[in-house]
Amino acid sequence: MIRSLTIAAAVLVAAPAFADGHLAATGDAAEGESAFRQCQSCHVVENGDGEVLAGRNGRTGPNLYGVVGRTAGTVEGFAYSDLMIAAGEAGMIYDEANFVPYVMDPTEHLREASGESGRGKMSFKVRKEEDAINLYAFLAQFADEAS
């Protein structure tokens, strides 16, 4: 928990705010595109027109198009865990401060964000903080398009 709070605090201090209130990405989007290869077996980035922008049409996890700035557990039609829904109801939004610790330890971060017990559905963990930050930067490119 202390590690997650330390990461979140460091990201909040380092990340400037966009005019619309979203935190800017501090990572390298090109490196994040490489890191996304770990995610594409379960996730896709597909716009509203059905165009796959990243990934290989994975459907185990939700579409990550517009994930930056989205409330956790709110992609329509996706069957989230109760813990993910509780985190969203508690106000968890995918900004860099939440995204990075979430992808590094999904269930633990959801427990901290929601104050609930249980398990999340995502079992994969990004091992390196730098990869998680870069992954966020990569996905942040699709936030403006989704708005």
Side-chain angles (χ1 to χ4, degrees), residues 37-128:
R37 290 186 198 126
Q38 304 172 79
C39 311
Q40 67 186 0
S41 62
C42 295
H43 294 280
V44 66
V45 177
E46 182 180 314
N47 67 17
D49 295 330
E51 180 184 4
V52 174
L53 306 172
R56 291 178 286 176
N57 214 15
R59 299 287 184 208
T60 303
N63 180 4
L64 297 180
Y65 184 74
V67 69
V68 170
R70 180 189 301 154
T71 300
T74 59
V75 170
E76 199 138 334
F78 188 79
Y80 289 100
S81 68
D82 291 341
L83 189 58
M84 176 67 81
I85 293 168
E89 289 173 349
M92 182 176 148
I93 302 226
Y94 288 110
D95 55 16
E96 193 166 350
N98 275 307
F99 181 87
V100 170
Y102 170 71
V103 298
M104 293 184 73
D105 193 347
T107 294
E108 183 58 31
H109 186 71
L110 292 175
R111 288 175 181 162
E112 290 175 15
S114 68
E116 307 268 331
S117 61
R119 293 207 48 83
K121 287 186 173 183
M122 188 165 113
S123 59
F124 180 81
K125 295 178 182 182
V126 174
R127 291 191 174 114
K128 296 180 184 174

